[in-house]
Structures are given as C-alpha cells and as structure tokens.
Amino acid sequence: MIAAFAVNAIFFGDEAAADVVLQPIGADRDDPFTQPVAPQPAGSLLDYASSESGEVSGATTQTAGYRTPDGSVPGIYGGSLNESSCDPDLLQEFLVAEQERAAAWAAVLEISIDDIPAYLDGLTPVNLAADTRVRNHGFQDGEAVPRQAILQRGSAVLIDRRGVPRVDCYSGSPLREPEALDDESFTGEEWETFQRERVIVVSQAPTDVDSFELEDVETGDIFARPAGSRGDADRPGTIDLVDDGPIDFDTEYEDSLIEGRGQARYFVDAPDGAIMTVRVENRRDSESTVDVSVESRGSTFASTNRISQGATWEETIVLDHQGGGEFEVIFSRGPAAYDFEVELDVQRDAGQEGDAGDAFDTGRQIASGDQVEGLLGGQDTTDVFLLDVVPGAELRLRAENLRGSSGNLDITVRLADSTLFSTSRLGAAGTYEEGILLSGEDSGVVEVIMSRGASNYVFTAEMVEQQDAGEPGDAGNARGDTREIATGVELSGQVGNRDPADWYVFEAPGPGVEVVVRNDIDSPGSLDATIEDDSASTQASTTRMSAGTEETLVFEAEPGEEYWLYFERGRSDYSFEIREVTLDN
C-alpha cells in the first residue's frame, strides 16, 4: 500500500518562477500514461464544473496559501448516485499491457507492480467539488515526469482511503501531493470560474474513511459512497457522519457507531494554556471496540486503539501559551456505544490564568520571594519567568519537582547571555537549591526557565540584598569604587561568583594595625584578603583561606592615613575587624 504522507510535511520546493499547469475537465493531457478511463464529461457534469464551488467546510488550515481540508470532509468531492466517474478496471488493463508504464506508475505511488490490482481495488471514483492543486505526472522516455497542476472542479479522479486524489482519470496518470513553487504562475487554458483563492489542497484524513459523503453533481444532494466501491453501493443521504458539530466542555455525551456510520467527529475550541482531559467509556453492551484520537492542525495530541467493551480510556492534554484553537475528537471502528466527556481546566503558572511563555518575550513576571507554582506537560515543554535584578544582591533559588510528577525537570537561570546556574533531570519529589552573588553593576532581568518533562513544580526566587560592612548593597569591585568603614567593630560581607571583589577604605587607628579576617565555616569557596597603602603597595595579605579559618594581618601604619582592604576569590561569607595594636620594635 502507499506510504502515508502529510501534505504539510512535504509541501515545499526550491524551484523559482515555476509554472503550475491548469488542466480543464476532460481536456487532453500532455504525455498521458494511458487512454482516458473516464467518460467524456457532458450534461449536468459540465454544468457542475462551470459553476462556482462554494466554501469548503472543514478547511481550517492553509498550505502555501491554499485552503487545506482533509479527505474526510463532506462535500469536497462530488459524483452521480449509482454511477462511477472512473473505471479502475480499465486502467488496470492498460497498465498490465504496458509493463514499462506500469513500473513508472507504481514507482510514483511507492508500490510494486504486483500491488497495482489490489491498490486500484481500494480506490474510490469521485469528481472534484473544487479546483484542486496536485502533482500530476506525464510519461516520457520510460519515466514519470512530475508536473505541478490544478485540476478543474468536476474532474474525475480516484481517491485513496484517506481521501487524497491518486489518479487523474483523463490520463491514467498517478497523482501525489503538490509542491509550493516560488513566484507561482499559471499556464494552460484557464476556465471562466478559475480563482486561485478557491483552489484547495486535500490533505489526508486522520484515519481511513469507511464512506465518503459526495455532492450529487446534478441535484446538489449528499449521498454516501463506501470506500473502494464503484457506485453500486451508494446510499442517499448522510451515512457516515464525520462532522457531528461542536461540543461543550465538562458535559457528558452519549454516542454510537453503527453499520454505515463508521466515524464520528466532534469539535471543541480550547483556549491557550488549556488542560483538557478526554475520558471515553466503551459501554459493556457495545458490539465491538472503539478507537479515539484528538487532533488539531494536522497533529495528533492523544489517541488510543480498540477500547474494549466496559473499559475506560482517559488522557490529559496540556497546551502551551499559544496552543489553543479548534480540536477534533474523532471516534472510529465499532459498532460501539460509548460515553465521552472533555473536561477543561486552564494552567495558572505563577498564579495567573494561562501558561507562562517559552521565551523571554512571552515570559511571565514574578516578584522576589514569591512562591511560584507551574505545570509542564504535553505540548507545553518550557515555562519562562522573569525577575528584576537587584544590583549587588544574592539571588537564591529553591525549587521542587512535586511528588506525583511523571517527568523530570530541567532548571536554568540566565541573565542576558550568561547562564548563572542550572540543573537537569530533577526527578519527582526532588529539590534543588542554589544561590549566586550578583555584582553592583548587574542589572536587567533574570530568566528562570523550567523545561523538559511532565512536571508539577514550585519554586521561590529571591533577590537578597547584600549588606557589605553593614551597608545595603555590594561594596565596589575596584579601588576607585570603595566603601568607607569604621575601625574597632566587627564587620561582614560576601564576595565571589559575579561579585569579583569587595573594596573598603579606612583610616589607620594608630601606628600598629591588625586586621582579623575570618572565612565562615559554611563558605563554599576560599578567600583572599589584601591591604594596600595610598601608593597601592601591599602592606599585608593572605590567600586561599579555607572555610572556617581565621587569619590576622598586622602592619605598621601612619595614624590617620587611609588604607585599602579588599577581598576576592571564591564564593565566601567573611567577617573582619580592624583595630590598633602595639608593635614590637
């Protein structure tokens, strides 16, 4: 069988200023694969082809500017009740008689020559209800030559079980999904009703379609044609209800699939940042199993196959800050009787309704010290929170991936283009604590980024202002930006990380001075301390003081003159005291 290709995934091209051939209904094609396998259009079919097509329902997406309904949408194809628009058996005869053509034909559709009869048996003859963009093929020098084309409304084609056109019946040529062309232009005979904005591209239905709803080209009525049939099994009226309308959240519905109704499809509009829980119970009295899928914009968000009688299936879908829109809840297989409900909740990242965005521009502002709760899962893989910098503060973070989370959590804290600290794969019930000193020159906004798996998390990010030498903020990190301090009292401060140094200036209390320096027992790094005079000459120093140690620096001074003391190296909480001492001569 043919491989399944999503139109959106392959609708591209690098050709520039290329032509798209307009191919009117019944017109001769260049380099056809076979003789026509459809009757020459006449009467009501020609009238149908020359009338303007209506708006295509279900075309909620676009591809390269073309409306893109999927192949299960009612009314995107037409036909005549109890009549076939195309003869697949005749096409098979032509191909069997021409093995070279058959090989090229099968290669386009990615099947083998031996598979041609079975493949054709599965196709359904229809007429296009709208001008339709395709990739047609001619046969030249033993090969299939692709040609971007638009087939006129009313043209006879064969479609596959997903509702995608696969054969042009006026040339026997295989059809594939089209490619978008730069500076697209049109050649060939233009019909009177041709308008580019009314052209469609048919994408494949989410699942195989059991029965197609066709518009009668003469009466405009809807009738059903089972997939793979030739008109002999047509039934008037709607049989396969593939558009059962909108449903409300938090409401339980009853439904069933019966003979002739192999699929049910419901629509629900979800807001951005929604948490949707889909619950389906296949009743005990069902005759068979039921399949369920939840889809939007060509993507499947949740699905399961063969829910057995008496069983319940439930799945939660988490949408990100721009993931809202129309979702389809699709039921198939059966016969089955089932109950279903779609519950709605909305994320409340940082206590605000909705999802925190996944980038700086869409991040959610938080305040220092606030406890922030958030959620990741499904489509929502990243939350960004923004915290204003307090220059010279210590940034402290404590985060927890709550018990019951099914995924791991990555945490990254950034300022401008620099990562301040991070951790990865924090498991359920795991906690992470980290802190960093900022310099007095730091400013802007810190990003706290939560990412990876399905996680319920909570964190607190706090800007704790330093109190270097008892004054708010960070002591300067260079000689020209010092903080004046008193002698004879114990003072304390912090240094390290982005705070490279703390500089102080004091007046010598006497001819002999000692400075007692302590690196706190809980300091994670070592400490350097240096004393300089007015000419920047070192008077005393110590290096690499480890946590919990104390050093006394003694030097001869000029009473009343200024001296500079600075601390640097690793992340340290330090204390010090400057006092007068008597020096031994």
Side-chain angles (χ1 to χ4, degrees):
M1 295 296 292
I2 187 170
F5 289 85
V7 171
N8 290 350
I10 67 168
F11 203 104
F12 61 90
D14 296 326
E15 303 176 60
D19 293 332
V20 177
V21 181
L22 299 178
Q23 297 185 325
I25 181 173
D28 292 338
R29 313 294 196 224
D30 292 337
D31 306 314
F33 262 79
T34 70
Q35 298 177 31
V37 292
Q40 191 65 21
S44 58
L45 181 57
L46 282 180
D47 292 339
Y48 180 80
S50 61
S51 63
E52 290 189 358
S53 61
E55 290 296 325
V56 176
S57 64
T60 58
T61 61
Q62 288 200 350
T63 303
Y66 293 103
R67 295 168 299 156
T68 310
D70 74 55
S72 68
V73 172
I76 62 169
Y77 297 117
S80 297
L81 185 66
N82 299 324
E83 293 181 17
S84 177
S85 59
C86 188
D87 190 343
D89 296 332
L90 182 59
L91 176 59
Q92 181 180 331
E93 290 180 17
F94 285 142
L95 292 175
V96 168
E98 296 282 350
Q99 288 293 290
E100 185 179 38
R101 292 175 184 266
W105 191 94
V108 171
L109 295 170
E110 298 187 342
I111 60 175
S112 69
I113 293 180
D114 293 340
D115 288 336
I116 290 177
Y119 181 71
L120 289 174
D121 282 344
L123 301 183
T124 306
V126 298
N127 298 97
L128 300 176
D131 297 343
T132 302
R133 184 83 151 76
V134 296
R135 185 179 3 147
N136 209 337
H137 295 79
F139 182 76
Q140 289 183 348
D141 301 325
E143 295 183 348
V145 180
R147 291 165 182 163
Q148 303 303 317
I150 294 176
L151 304 182
Q152 185 182 0
R153 166 179 161 92
S155 296
V157 296
L158 294 173
I159 60 174
D160 65 16
R161 286 296 299 272
R162 297 293 181 95
V164 178
R166 293 304 180 192
V167 177
D168 172 19
C169 294
Y170 301 119
S171 62
S173 300
L175 302 175
R176 291 304 301 264
E177 296 81 356
E179 293 178 348
L181 305 175
D182 294 338
D183 301 322
E184 198 170 78
S185 60
F186 304 108
T187 63
E189 181 183 348
E190 184 174 306
W191 45 94
E192 185 177 348
T193 57
F194 173 72
Q195 298 180 50
R196 187 191 188 281
E197 58 269 20
R198 289 187 173 272
V199 177
I200 67 171
V201 173
V202 181
S203 65
Q204 62 178 354
T207 59
D208 286 351
V209 179
D210 294 327
S211 185
F212 296 97
E213 290 186 22
L214 309 184
E215 179 185 16
D216 193 299
V217 299
E218 182 174 1
T219 67
D221 295 335
I222 295 295
F223 67 93
R225 175 168 293 171
S229 68
R230 304 292 183 253
D232 52 346
D234 291 350
R235 283 176 275 189
T238 298
I239 301 298
D240 183 23
L241 299 178
V242 296
D243 180 357
D244 294 288
I247 57 174
D248 294 324
F249 287 110
D250 303 314
T251 302
E252 187 170 311
Y253 293 89
E254 297 180 359
D255 197 11
S256 61
L257 300 176
I258 58 177
E259 184 178 354
R261 184 179 188 248
Q263 188 182 88
R265 181 184 302 239
Y266 294 89
F267 297 88
V268 62
D269 285 319
D272 293 338
I275 305 170
M276 295 188 294
T277 301
V278 183
R279 185 179 299 105
V280 179
E281 180 182 359
N282 193 11
R283 298 181 210 151
R284 293 185 180 277
D285 57 354
S286 284
E287 296 181 45
S288 184
T289 60
V290 64
D291 296 350
V292 185
S293 65
V294 181
E295 303 177 4
S296 181
R297 301 179 291 276
S299 298
T300 298
F301 285 74
S303 66
T304 189
N305 292 328
R306 300 182 183 277
I307 303 174
S308 59
Q309 297 93 322
T312 298
W313 172 76
E314 179 179 304
E315 187 153 339
T316 296
I317 300 167
V318 181
L319 305 181
D320 66 15
H321 68 288
Q322 55 185 5
E326 186 176 70
F327 283 74
E328 301 170 79
V329 185
I330 305 166
F331 300 90
S332 57
R333 204 177 292 276
Y338 50 88
D339 302 328
F340 70 96
E341 181 178 6
V342 183
E343 295 180 351
L344 175 66
D345 197 357
V346 178
Q347 294 189 59
R348 292 175 178 82
D349 289 346
Q352 305 169 43
E353 185 168 293
D355 169 51
D358 59 0
F360 186 90
D361 291 344
T362 56
R364 181 154 291 180
Q365 190 75 34
I366 60 174
S368 174
D370 282 355
Q371 180 170 284
V372 177
E373 297 181 1
L375 172 70
L376 293 175
Q379 182 195 43
D380 180 19
T381 59
T382 303
D383 289 340
V384 175
F385 300 91
L386 307 177
L387 177 64
D388 291 334
V389 167
V390 174
E394 179 185 11
L395 170 60
R396 298 176 184 173
L397 178 83
R398 186 185 189 282
E400 181 179 1
N401 189 9
L402 296 178
R403 190 178 304 277
S405 295
S406 59
N408 294 328
L409 181 66
D410 289 358
I411 304 171
T412 303
V413 179
R414 294 179 56 82
L415 176 59
D417 295 328
S418 299
T419 296
L420 303 182
F421 50 83
S422 65
T423 189
S424 60
R425 299 185 181 277
L426 183 67
T431 59
Y432 172 65
E433 294 187 58
E434 186 61 87
I436 189 170
L437 290 179
L438 304 178
S439 77
E441 298 175 356
D442 280 324
S443 62
V445 178
V446 166
E447 296 176 80
V448 181
I449 305 168
M450 303 292 178
S451 60
R452 195 176 288 272
S455 304
N456 287 69
Y457 59 83
V458 60
F459 73 90
T460 300
E462 187 175 10
M463 290 283 178
V464 181
E465 192 172 41
Q466 292 188 57
Q467 297 287 325
D468 286 349
E471 296 183 27
D474 174 44
N477 61 15
R479 186 182 179 94
D481 182 20
T482 58
R483 176 165 292 180
E484 292 185 6
I485 55 175
T487 60
V489 293
E490 186 174 25
L491 303 171
S492 62
Q494 298 170 289
V495 73
N497 301 137
R498 295 174 66 90
D499 178 12
D502 288 342
W503 279 76
Y504 303 100
V505 61
F506 63 94
E507 292 183 359
V513 178
E514 69 174 12
V515 180
V516 180
V517 179
R518 304 176 187 86
N519 191 6
D520 190 85
I521 188 66
D522 295 322
S523 292
S526 58
L527 179 68
D528 292 357
T530 303
I531 301 169
E532 295 181 353
D533 63 14
D534 187 55
S535 64
S537 297
T538 299
Q539 302 300 301
S541 66
T542 184
T543 60
R544 300 186 182 278
M545 292 177 58
S546 58
T549 60
E550 178 181 304
E551 295 283 348
T552 300
L553 307 178
V554 180
F555 65 98
E556 185 176 348
E558 291 291 333
E561 292 295 314
E562 289 185 333
Y563 291 83
W564 283 260
L565 166 65
Y566 63 92
F567 299 95
E568 57 186 351
R569 199 172 288 277
R571 171 66 177 85
S572 303
D573 291 341
Y574 59 85
S575 61
F576 63 98
E577 184 177 350
I578 304 169
R579 53 199 180 203
E580 181 182 0
V581 294
T582 301
L583 299 178
D584 295 332
N585 292 328

